[in-house]
Structure formats: C-alpha cells, structure tokens
Amino acid sequence: LYLFDRPTEPIFIGKGDENVSFDVPTEYLIDRYKPLASDIQTRFPGGKTVPVTKLSSIPDLSIPLGLKRDKPFSLFNTSHSKMAAKLIEILMNVKSYDELLSLSVYCRDRINPYMFTYALSVALIHRPDTRNLRLPSHSEMFPSLYMDSSVFARAREESAVVQAGSRTPIEIPHDYSANNLDAEHRISYFREDIGINLHHWHWHLVYPFDGPLSIVNKNRRGELFFYMHQQIIARYNMERLSNNMNRVVRLTNWDQPIEEGYFPKLDNILANRVWPSRPVNAVLQNISREVEQITFDIEDLVRWRDRIFNAIHSGFIINTAGQQVRLTETDGIDILGNLIEASILSQNPNFYGSLHNNGHNAIAYIHDPDNRFLENYGVMGDSATAMRDPIFYRWHAYIDDIFQEYKATIPSYNVQNLNFDNVTVQSVEVTATGLPRNEFATFWQQSDTDLSRGLDFLPRGSIFARFTHLQHAPFNYKIVVENNGNQRIGTVRIFLAPKFDERGLPFLFREQRKLFVELDKFSTSLRRGRNEIVRRSIESSVTIPHEITYRNQGSNRPAANSDAAPMFNFCGCGWPQNMLIAKGSPEGFQCQLFVMVSNGEIDQVANAQGDGQTCDDASSYCGILNSRYPDSRSMGYPFDRTPRDGVVTLQQFLTTNMVVQDVRIRFTNRTVAPLQNATVNRPTGASANN
Ligand code: CUO
C-alpha cells in the first residue's frame, strides 16, 4: 500500500510516516536514475526496507505507456480507459503477490501516476490475494482533487515551520468556490462534499465501464448504474427543495447556452495546471481533440439519443448481429444501463454510441473543444471531481429521464406485487436523543483529513485539512409490525421524500416516487404477533461510516498502512454517513418517511452474502463485491415504476405492509468541532433487534 504514497514522487524515496523504502533492483530504475543507483541507495535510507524481487521478464506495457506521465488521465476518454484496462489485465494476470508487488514497483515510476493508481486500485480490490487490503483514501492520495488549492501553500508553510504532531489543521472555508450571487452556490456544500465525491470515485472504481470482462461484467451493473445515479438526483433534489430551490432542470437543449458556470479552484498536480473553469452561457461544440483521440459531433449525441428512445418505445434494441433483443421487465433496465453509459457490455456500441460518457466529454471540453488552447478537461471529465459542478446534475437528470421513459413502458406493480400476506406495518417512529419525535436535526460539523500522503514536500509527517460539512444527529427507527402468519423473514425498506413541491403543494405520487431516497434496507425475522424493530441510523445499508471518509487529527483510526487496518475491510464505496439526511430548513422541512416490509423469501438472492469482509457495507448503492446484488427486486422497488391505475397520491399507493409518517428535518446554523478519538463502532452485518 506504500505504493500509493506521494504518487508523483519516485518509488525509492521513503514512503509513509515511517519513511519505508523499497529496495528497487537497479534494472527497475528509469534510465535517468540508473547511473545514480548506488547514490540512491544511500541517499534515501528508510526506517524499514521492502524487498522487491526482480522479475525475469516484464510484460509488454506499451499500451499503458502510451500516455505520458505528465498528461491528465480521464476515464471518460476511451483511449485512456483502454490503456487502463490493459494495465488492469496485466496486474490481474500476475501469479503471486510478490510478483504483483515487483511489477507494480516497476510500473509506478513509468506509467502515468493517475492511471497507475486507478489500475492498481481496481486490481487490488478484485484479486483474491489482495482483496482484504484496505486502500488508502483517494482524497489522501490526491488531495488536490478534493479541496481548494489554497490549502496546499498554507500546509507547506505550516509543515516547514512546525513539527509533525504540533501542527494546526488548515481550515478550508465554507465558501471557497463562489458566493451567493450565484444561486447554485447555496448547495455547494453538497456538490463539493468530500465524502460524496469519494463515493462517486469509488463507485466507478468498483464498476469500471472498460477492463477485463471478469471485472466489468458484474451482476446487474447496468441497472446499478441507473439506480445509483437516480438516487444521486433524488438526493440532490431533496437538498435543493430544502434550500428553497427548484428541482434540477434536465439538460435538453444542446444548442442553447448553459446558464450554470463553474470555477472549481482546484489544482491538477498531475498536469501541473489548474482545473479549467466553465463561464456562464457556454455552448456545447463538436469535439475534435486529436491528442486524446476524442472526436464526435453534438449531432452524434442526438442520433444516439433518438435511437435509444426508439428502442425504448419499440421494446427491443438491435444488437451487433442485427437481431432484436427484447427489453424485458427484468433485464431491460440492465441492458439499457450498459448501452446508455456506455460500458463494454453495450450490445451495440456502434449504433447506440456512448451517450452518457460523451455527454461528460462534451461538457468537460466545452472551453477548448478542438484543443487549440492546449487546455485539459474540466471537472466533468473525472469521476473524482464531476459531482462538484452543477451541470453534472442537469446531465444526469437528463440521463435519468431516459431510464424513466423506459420504466413507464413496463407493467406497474399491482397490489399482489407489493403485498406481504398477513403482515401489517402499524407504525414507524424516528427518535433521537433530546429531540421531539419524528424530527431529524442537522447542523455543520468539522472533520479532518490527512494531506501528507499526497503532498510531496518536506519535512514529512501528518498535516491535516479541516472541512466543514453537513451532519445530522444519530437517530433510531422504531417500526411496529404485526405478523398474523408463521415466523417469516421480511425485508424492511426505508425511504424518505419531500412532502411538498416548489409551490408548496403536496406531491402527486407520479412525481414524488422519483424523489424517494433510500435510507436503509435490511432483513429481519418476524415472529408471530407483534414485532418491534429498532434500527440505528449508522447501520444504514446506503452509507459507509464517517470514520472512513475522514481521519480526524488525534483520532485513533489506524492509518491505512498499519497492521490494525484490516480490522475493517471495505472498498470505500458508499454514501457518506454525514450526508444520509438532507439539510432541511430552520423551520423544519416537511418530509414523508416510508417503511415497507416485503416478503424476504421472494427478495432473497442465493449466494449474495459476500464473505462478510469485503465491500458489503453499503450494498444498496454499491452491491457486494464478488457477489450477486443482494435483493431480487428491481432496484428502487417499490418506487421504480409508474403507479397502478387509480393511484394518484402516496396514501392510495400504500398496501397494508407499508406505512408513512410525516417527519421534519430541522437545520440549526451551528458548527460542531471534530469528533475526537472516533473509532469505527458500526456493528458487523445487517441486524435488527426484535
Ligand atoms: Cu457517475 Cu456520469 O456516471 O458520472
């Protein structure tokens, strides 16, 4: 894991707080350093030395070496993702752990550092012999992708003057990318949240759209692409409504100026440039960037879109062989997800193109579509940064709408699809210490992240950046369920949606269903008679614990490299716990909490348990690594489809195994200091206390 430390600094310079060095075979040094081999060994002595065996032959790396080290690497760029795919394949095919280490050391100072880190991360979470390693946080490896660039100069000064251990965290102001003259700025705390951006980066790390088939072809990946991004839009809309903003407007008119501008204030340390901005009223252009081998017209996007809508309305797609492939109720969404994104699982990339990915590219290069100014892509070109930009949500609202168009063509759930015989959900109640019942409390909190892994200056040692992010008071759900049948397994599904629209009118079901955000999902054993289920907010199947996103100064969370780290294994994919609940409002933003208990016998999926160790902490949005998706229902069930005839309101939608409770989210404008000595205290495995 030391391979991830200070990615732009040569491998033989000590890594980690302990200055661990790699005993690199002379043949592995790049030509520039070879004459200095003996000097290097004495000049950079480490506390501990990691032996590196020399491989008898090095695999052919010419494809991944096609991108220079100082060039930006974008996964949305097909030629780049092909290079990374090749590197992943090479790293996956190495037989032993020792050989993997050796090859990685060889690659590290030759291959583009961003590509190398990405490919090595994918390989480590998928190889059986490394699956249990905990990867360092991406924000620690590449802090410049996640925070205001002004923090680095201040960190450098603090490090130069003050000893490690006594350094003051560098505070990042709340308002660094814009001010309230920009209406969108009201919600920048969501777009620029470090945990949200980490989640997105990790999701695309676990679900790459290119690479070896064994990695890309995961159970229901196309459907999860739809669902995870649908939930992002639902959450964003709830966040907007709590700030008195309208729901996000789809990016539909591709020849009109784009009102939203974005000035990221990020450095791109890999390209030694600042990240390009997008002024207000920029207009999409045809893209012709020969260096990156990205060439397409806006008209191509239009053609692909029209063909996709045609497929949806005729009920089938045409595959590469010219055959019709039906978009069935069970598989249609998965086929479309892969086709629209597009991943290499698309059944006809020539005909349906790559609408979503090239939308990212069109926006990412809007400021320099033909590369005449030699400018890099903007934040939309990288999954680690894309969610910072308001346009991300307009683009994904558009993509989501296509999926919704498809969902409107498949049968609605009838009462039988929703019911759970003899099970009645009587009530749900939310409780939190010191708060009125059915109220969520939100506020600001500060948390730290260690920058030292990603900054290549001396003297070494931890130096923290301190963020202010949204937080909520932990709470419990208490759910009362009456079971008039025998003992059975039920799946508890908990969702939350705003109650009123922009005009203050109650939502109709057909709109509100798209706004329900999943809060939790777990199975529980229902005994005959009355069951009282208590579930804690930190157990959510949507989130990963706060301590994984942040490492507070003085906390005892083990560093990624330490021996204690494997205690909690996960891959970092998961919505950040601190963003589980939207901000709400000082008056108490009115929402509806929905609980359904469905028949666990129908819901369960054989072999979907995982090994209990790897990446199963946030299965709702991330699935379980090396396992099938752990819920047989369509993702988003029961809200993924238009309602059955006669259902206009949420009340009319309810069957006896569902209940709705009015709740409020009350925001208080106060800032709470970082938690000290935070440890991961999440119980292992899904559980419910009867
Ligand atoms: Cu996650 Cu568009 O897919 O960014």
Side-chain angles (χ1 to χ4, degrees):
L1 292 178
Y2 291 113
L3 288 163
F4 291 111
D5 262 48
R6 294 184 281 273
T8 54
E9 216 177 58
I11 184 66
F12 48 77
I13 301 183
K15 304 294 172 217
D17 289 348
E18 315 80 14
N19 235 6
V20 169
S21 59
F22 286 83
D23 190 6
V24 184
T26 307
E27 294 81 350
Y28 278 24
L29 296 174
I30 61 168
D31 292 346
R32 171 75 187 89
Y33 298 138
K34 274 191 187 131
L36 309 172
S38 55
D39 179 40
I40 281 168
Q41 266 141 28
T42 49
R43 191 139 53 95
F44 301 105
K48 195 167 90 181
T49 309
V50 181
V52 178
T53 48
K54 185 168 136 299
L55 292 176
S56 49
S57 72
I58 301 285
D60 178 9
L61 294 166
S62 54
I63 293 176
L65 282 169
L67 183 68
K68 287 217 179 103
R69 274 179 68 78
D70 60 354
K71 290 288 175 232
F73 166 80
S74 167
L75 275 176
F76 290 108
N77 176 326
T78 316
S79 69
H80 292 181
S81 63
K82 292 265 173 254
M83 293 178 200
K86 185 68 195 170
L87 183 57
I88 293 167
E89 188 191 308
I90 294 168
L91 294 171
M92 290 298 289
N93 286 342
V94 176
K95 287 205 189 60
S96 70
Y97 179 85
D98 280 346
E99 290 171 65
L100 174 69
L101 176 69
S102 176
L103 182 62
S104 304
V105 166
Y106 181 85
C107 290
R108 190 183 180 279
D109 295 348
R110 292 180 165 77
I111 291 186
N112 177 287
Y114 201 58
M115 186 201 305
F116 171 76
T117 306
Y118 169 75
L120 184 61
S121 302
V122 174
L124 292 186
I125 57 182
H126 289 93
R127 280 181 65 105
D129 53 352
T130 52
R131 208 174 269 167
N132 291 337
L133 291 176
R134 195 182 89 68
L135 300 183
S137 162
H138 198 241
S139 60
E140 289 185 2
M141 287 187 258
F142 295 105
S144 63
L145 295 173
Y146 294 89
M147 60 199 78
D148 175 13
S149 56
S150 73
V151 78
F152 303 116
R154 290 188 285 153
R156 194 172 287 126
E157 183 181 336
E158 180 80 13
S159 305
V161 179
V162 184
Q163 293 266 318
S166 311
R167 294 173 186 161
T168 307
I170 312 299
E171 286 204 21
I172 299 191
H174 220 178
D175 281 326
Y176 67 83
S177 67
N179 65 29
N180 283 336
L181 282 177
D182 175 34
E184 294 296 324
H185 182 63
R186 270 184 273 173
I187 195 174
S188 64
Y189 67 88
F190 180 97
R191 288 186 278 103
E192 291 167 359
D193 184 82
I194 192 164
I196 285 182
N197 283 287
L198 277 172
H199 161 68
H200 191 237
W201 187 79
H202 274 279
W203 193 93
H204 285 278
L205 185 74
V206 183
Y207 294 98
F209 61 79
D210 199 346
L213 210 54
S214 61
I215 289 180
V216 178
N217 193 7
K218 293 196 170 83
N219 179 233
R220 297 169 74 182
R221 93 165 283 293
E223 183 177 10
L224 195 54
F225 172 78
F226 145 72
Y227 181 58
M228 196 284 289
H229 289 90
Q230 185 274 333
Q231 285 286 294
I232 287 177
I233 298 303
R235 288 180 169 276
Y236 187 63
N237 278 330
M238 175 121 93
E239 212 68 58
R240 292 179 71 88
L241 289 165
S242 38
N243 286 287
N244 286 318
M245 299 164 80
N246 291 349
R247 276 169 285 171
V248 61
V249 177
R250 290 172 296 136
L251 187 68
T252 44
N253 294 326
W254 300 340
D255 50 359
Q256 297 298 308
I258 297 174
E259 271 172 54
E260 293 84 0
Y262 187 65
F263 294 74
K265 317 282 185 294
L266 298 179
D267 271 350
N268 190 339
I269 49 159
L270 296 174
N272 291 310
R273 299 271 169 78
V274 295
W275 280 79
S277 305
R278 187 183 63 259
V280 293
N281 293 326
V283 180
L284 292 171
Q285 314 279 336
N286 296 337
I287 302 294
S288 171
R289 308 235 341 166
E290 273 166 40
V291 220
E292 285 98 359
Q293 301 174 41
I294 304 189
T295 307
F296 65 91
D297 292 350
I298 300 307
E299 255 190 42
D300 289 317
L301 300 183
V302 172
R303 246 187 312 273
W304 299 333
R305 175 197 70 191
D306 291 347
R307 287 171 182 169
I308 291 164
F309 273 98
N310 260 332
I312 288 171
H313 294 139
S314 42
F316 58 84
I317 59 154
I318 307 287
N319 69 11
T320 329
Q323 298 150 330
Q324 297 183 356
V325 179
R326 282 211 332 117
L327 298 171
T328 63
E329 192 178 330
T330 41
D331 296 337
I333 189 71
D334 195 48
I335 292 172
L336 282 174
N338 286 315
L339 180 116
I340 292 172
E341 185 181 2
S343 79
I344 53 165
L345 304 178
S346 167
Q347 298 195 32
N348 198 342
N350 285 335
F351 191 65
Y352 297 105
S354 183
L355 179 62
H356 156 269
N357 286 347
N358 276 329
H360 272 268
N361 282 325
I363 298 164
Y365 291 115
I366 199 168
H367 56 281
D368 194 13
D370 58 8
N371 200 29
R372 74 179 64 181
F373 298 113
L374 308 177
E375 278 291 304
N376 300 327
Y377 54 81
V379 291
M380 271 291 272
D382 187 330
S383 58
T385 52
M387 289 184 70
R388 310 177 84 81
D389 189 332
I391 202 66
F392 172 92
Y393 305 88
R394 293 197 58 197
W395 180 241
H396 268 279
Y398 179 78
I399 295 294
D400 187 55
D401 190 61
I402 303 178
F403 290 122
Q404 298 298 345
E405 185 81 12
Y406 162 72
K407 286 282 185 177
T409 67
I410 56 174
S412 307
Y413 294 116
N414 57 31
V415 172
Q416 205 200 329
N417 302 140
L418 300 169
N419 236 343
F420 186 7
D421 284 341
N422 294 318
V423 170
T424 308
V425 181
Q426 289 181 325
S427 64
V428 59
E429 183 180 287
V430 172
T431 55
T433 317
L435 291 176
R437 281 193 311 158
N438 296 320
E439 196 165 299
F440 300 102
T442 60
F443 47 88
W444 301 120
Q445 181 169 47
Q446 294 188 314
S447 293
D448 302 339
T449 187
D450 189 356
L451 304 176
S452 56
R453 183 188 297 280
L455 300 181
D456 48 4
F457 53 76
L458 295 161
R460 297 270 154 86
S462 288
I463 171 87
F464 290 86
R466 180 157 290 176
F467 299 87
T468 302
H469 57 79
L470 187 65
Q471 184 60 289
H472 58 270
F475 57 89
N476 290 339
Y477 310 95
K478 196 173 92 188
I479 302 161
V480 178
V481 182
E482 186 73 30
N483 174 16
N484 293 323
N486 294 328
Q487 168 139 0
R488 276 173 300 170
I489 301 288
T491 308
V492 181
R493 302 166 188 272
I494 309 179
F495 289 84
L496 183 70
K499 188 171 181 180
F500 299 105
D501 69 10
E502 292 85 349
R503 301 160 299 171
L505 301 176
F507 273 113
L508 297 182
F509 183 82
R510 45 175 298 146
E511 285 306 311
Q512 194 183 23
R513 72 172 186 86
K514 292 184 247 173
L515 292 164
F516 270 101
V517 303
E518 184 174 338
L519 296 184
D520 205 350
K521 177 165 68 180
F522 56 96
S523 16
T524 188
S525 169
L526 298 169
R527 72 170 92 83
R528 203 180 161 82
R530 185 185 146 95
N531 293 264
E532 206 174 284
I533 302 164
V534 177
R535 176 84 169 178
R536 294 189 289 166
S537 55
I538 57 164
E539 292 174 281
S540 168
S541 65
V542 171
T543 60
I544 53 173
H546 193 68
E547 298 82 359
I548 292 166
T549 311
Y550 297 100
R551 178 142 64 101
N552 286 345
Q553 188 176 40
S555 78
N556 55 7
R557 181 184 105 166
N561 294 331
S562 81
D563 291 343
M567 223 167 53
F568 45 101
N569 293 309
F570 40 74
C571 42
C573 185
W575 197 252
Q577 178 69 31
N578 63 293
M579 299 303 281
L580 179 64
I581 301 295
K583 183 177 162 207
S585 66
E587 312 78 54
F589 180 63
Q590 296 187 63
C591 293
Q592 289 181 295
L593 182 71
F594 168 93
V595 175
M596 171 184 200
V597 180
S598 59
N599 189 342
E601 233 169 83
I602 299 177
D603 303 335
Q604 75 186 7
V605 172
N607 306 321
Q609 265 44 30
D611 53 10
Q613 290 206 304
T614 42
C615 304
D616 56 357
D617 217 17
S619 62
S620 289
Y621 293 172
C622 297
I624 301 176
L625 193 63
N626 304 308
S627 159
R628 298 169 70 198
Y629 190 79
D631 183 0
S632 72
R633 308 278 188 171
S634 294
M635 296 182 196
Y637 173 81
F639 294 119
D640 66 305
R641 304 184 187 181
T642 52
R644 62 189 185 270
D645 281 348
V647 169
V648 177
T649 65
L650 179 60
Q651 278 305 326
Q652 291 166 340
F653 176 74
L654 302 183
T655 48
T656 50
N657 55 326
M658 302 177 189
V659 77
V660 168
Q661 172 65 52
D662 280 354
V663 294
R664 281 174 185 269
I665 309 173
R666 199 176 297 278
F667 169 72
T668 316
N669 194 4
R670 66 190 167 103
T671 303
V672 174
L675 295 165
Q676 283 307 304
N677 289 324
T679 49
V680 172
N681 56 359
R682 160 179 292 223
T684 48
S687 66
N689 310 319
N690 282 347

